Every structure is written in structure tokens, then in C-alpha cells.
Amino acid sequence: MDQSLKDTLKTLPYQEAIDILSRYIEQNPHDEEAFTARGMRYWGAAKRSLAINDFLAAIRINPDSPAQQALNAANEILDYRNKDLYNP
């Protein structure tokens, strides 16, 4: 993914960025950086399962992808429980 696309995505609302990244991924299905970027936009748009699917796709392409950190963070957030709420 080139720098001009990255810069453009920063200024767009989530759904527009997702649409652009989806079209880009159709033409570049092995670009793990694009999957990670779209996953981040999905996460920001509260589409958690789609975000996780994109993080996993990026990791399948490159096991050392930054998407691994994003996936770990997503899992930590989803696994969080406030134990004080269960023990009055």
C-alpha cells in the first residue's frame, strides 16, 4: 500500500475508508498491510468480527504482521471483565 493511499485514508470517515480498502484488497489480495488497515477501520466502526477476520487474514499472509498485536489487543478488550461487578 503506498503512502498516498495511507494519507488519504486518514482523512476519511470509517465507511468510506473501508470501501476504498475493500476495492484495493480485491486487486491486491496478498497485501497484509491493507487487511490490517481495513481491520483497524472496522474496529473503529464497531464491526468487531469483521475487524478480527481482517487481522487473521493479514496474519495468514505474514505471521509477523502488526495485525498480531491488533488481534491480541482486540482479544484483551473482548475478554475484559470487571470482577467487582460480580462480587458486591
Side-chain angles (χ1 to χ4, degrees), residues 4-7 9 14 25 30 32 36 38-40 46 53 55 67-68 70 74 80 82-85 88:
S4 64
L5 178 57
K6 290 179 193 178
D7 293 340
L9 294 172
Y14 289 122
I25 289 169
H30 300 292
E32 56 96 7
T36 303
R38 188 174 69 174
M40 297 299 288
N53 287 341
F55 296 151
Q68 184 64 54
Y80 175 77
N82 186 344
K83 294 175 184 157
D84 292 338
L85 294 176

Side-chain angles (χ1 to χ4, degrees), residues 12-19 40-46:
L12 297 175
Y14 289 122
Q15 193 55 54
E16 278 185 61
I18 290 167
D19 293 342
M40 297 299 288
R41 297 320 185 280
Y42 275 138
W43 188 267

Side-chain angles (χ1 to χ4, degrees), residues 13-32:
Y14 289 122
Q15 193 55 54
E16 278 185 61
I18 290 167
D19 293 342
I20 289 171
L21 285 164
S22 295
R23 287 192 299 273
Y24 179 85
I25 289 169
E26 283 178 19
Q27 296 176 359
N28 303 281
H30 300 292
D31 188 337
E32 56 96 7

